[in-house]
Amino acid sequence: MTVPVPKKKPALIAAASLVVLALFASGYCWWNTDLLGAESFCGGRLDRGDAQAALDSAGRLSQVRVQGDAQHAEFACTLQRTSRFIGGDEQRVTLGTADEQGAFPFTTSVWKDPGSRSYFTSGVTGAVSPGGGYVVLPKACWSKVGGLQGSQVVRAGDGGVAAVTATVEKGSADQPGLARLLTRAARQVAEKAGCATPALAAAPALAAPSAAHTTDVRNVCGVPGLALPKSVILVGRAEPDTEQVNHGSPRTWACDLHMAGPAKASVSFAATSDTSIVQAATSGTGTMRNLPDHHGVAGPDQAVLHCGGGDTYFAAHWSSTYEGALLDSVSHSAAAYTQAKNATFQNFLDATADAHRCPRVTLP
């Protein structure tokens, strides 16, 4: 009599399949969730919940690099979220302390399009956009906190403004989440430097910009009577087209005017009574000059006026493409170029003076 031999092959296949499924599930969870992931990042400055809120797509959150002693205020840190198997978009953001100069959110090409930002309304000076954001640290921090260059802490000195900034390098961040992440980082920095204020402990609230819309050339940026001088309207190259305005913040108003034409030009206008920005604009020596009758100070494309509701900062910022096209239009005459830009800024001040209860001034 022949004894039948048990058939083990189906059982082995089933066991192997379970192992494969377990490995796949483990790999899936590792690459696409934060299961068993780090609880904090950037030397303990940021917790996982804040980072998750800013980088809110599918994938695993990780720290790419961190610089700066955990005991010191200055730091730089890059976070990213990556996924496998499900095709999620990769996100990457770099945060850190920075030394800026003057009213940097409205005067440098690094911080473009102020009209498209969402501004903090909860007492902290800051803003976020799809490309990043900033928080200006309390003034008591400006002489205590610097930026990092390699392992070296660098302070800008006279006129320097301490801030925590974020740059989105891949994908886009959730703006409310990024605001919370920046605020938490700023609070940690200020506490380490001994210059924290209660405002940094509050949850940030944001004023979002309006949708882009067609420009009324007689009331640019929705400001009654604001029109561009003919000298800066370059027919066929740079003509008023669309604009985006943020007028939801009680302290800050900003507008981006985009021009139609091959020059791909734009110019932005801003007005803010935010104390930190006013102080930043007037810190250091700079290029500001006193205006007659003690009405304030002014420099190229910016001014601080003594207005009824307090000192108010005004600025115009031109894209490099607009500046290049304008120079070409005046055959590279420095005098004509400066006159055209000054006339534009003068029109802006004239049109907004009454709304801000500011004195009428003539630029030097």
Side-chain angles (χ1 to χ4, degrees), residues 144-171:
K144 298 180 179 181
V145 178
L148 284 180
Q149 291 183 5
S151 60
Q152 300 296 313
V153 174
V154 178
R155 292 187 175 87
D158 193 26
V161 178
V164 175
T165 63
T167 302
V168 178
E169 299 166 355
K170 289 186 179 179

Side-chain angles (χ1 to χ4, degrees), residues 37-134:
E39 293 297 326
S40 65
F41 301 95
C42 305
R45 293 174 174 87
L46 304 172
D47 65 34
R48 184 167 70 179
D50 291 320
Q52 286 174 328
L55 303 180
D56 64 339
S57 70
R60 190 169 188 82
L61 191 64
S62 62
Q63 179 177 286
V64 177
R65 70 179 181 93
V66 61
Q67 293 174 273
D69 190 313
Q71 303 305 312
H72 295 158
E74 292 80 13
F75 81 102
C77 180
T78 300
L79 303 176
Q80 71 176 10
R81 189 182 283 280
T82 55
S83 64
R84 297 291 187 272
F85 318 122
I86 60 175
D89 293 334
E90 184 173 343
Q91 296 173 290
R92 179 177 290 193
V93 61
T94 293
L95 300 97
T97 52
D99 250 321
E100 304 287 355
Q101 284 288 326
F104 69 93
F106 306 103
T107 59
T108 68
S109 58
V110 173
W111 299 100
K112 300 177 180 178
D113 300 331
S116 69
R117 301 173 196 155
S118 293
Y119 289 89
F120 288 37
T121 62
S122 51
V124 174
T125 301
V128 290
S129 72
Y134 62 87

